[in-house]
Amino acid sequence: MPGEAASAQIGRSAVRAALHAYGLDPLVPAAVQVAGELLAAGWHLDPGGSLYLNLRYRQGDDSLRLTVCDGHAAHDHPRLAAHCEARRRAALRLMRVVVRECGGEWGFGDSREPGGGTRTWVMLPRVGAAAYLPPAAT
């Protein structure tokens, strides 16, 4: 998808629809929050570039994996690389809280996609993601 501000909303909607289609509705609140944060950070770090969103449920380890690739490549200079890493971590502050609350993991590194860039991934265990934001009592 294009690296634009609207991409975060489009990605959140796509994640919501995909999880609903596969009966994974309890994972929606955490997954939608994470997807939006990943896409917004990708757009912020590489405005006007391309973003790639991948969503995969792994039955073997009962977890949801979200991956976003952006075109912002790693810097060769150590100071620039450290500054860029700090900017990415700061941009994903809220996402880190969600991942921690769900008992998940996250990280980033070089993208394997054509053209390079950065791949940021999140793994959310089903049980933790389902408990992240329980349905409101009626």
Side-chain angles (χ1 to χ4, degrees), residues 23-104:
L24 296 169
D25 295 292
L27 309 182
V28 167
V32 164
Q33 183 70 47
V34 166
E37 296 294 321
L38 288 172
L39 289 165
W43 163 65
H44 179 72
L45 292 164
D46 187 32
S50 293
L51 299 170
Y52 171 82
L53 170 65
N54 184 16
L55 176 70
R56 183 170 63 171
Y57 183 73
R58 298 172 137 182
Q59 289 183 337
D61 60 359
D62 205 19
S63 66
L64 183 67
R65 186 173 180 102
L66 296 97
T67 305
V68 168
C69 297
D70 62 63
H72 189 83
H75 298 277
D76 292 330
H77 192 280
R79 283 190 198 152
L80 286 175
H83 176 72
C84 187
E85 182 176 325
R87 281 185 57 206
R88 187 173 297 271
R89 289 185 184 283
L92 295 170
R93 198 169 317 174
L94 178 58
M95 185 219 62
R96 287 192 329 247
V97 172
V98 175
V99 172
R100 183 184 66 226
E101 291 297 314
C102 293

Side-chain angles (χ1 to χ4, degrees), residues 121-138:
W121 59 269
V122 172
M123 187 281 300
L124 298 173
R126 183 188 56 79
V127 172
Y132 170 66
L133 193 60
T138 56

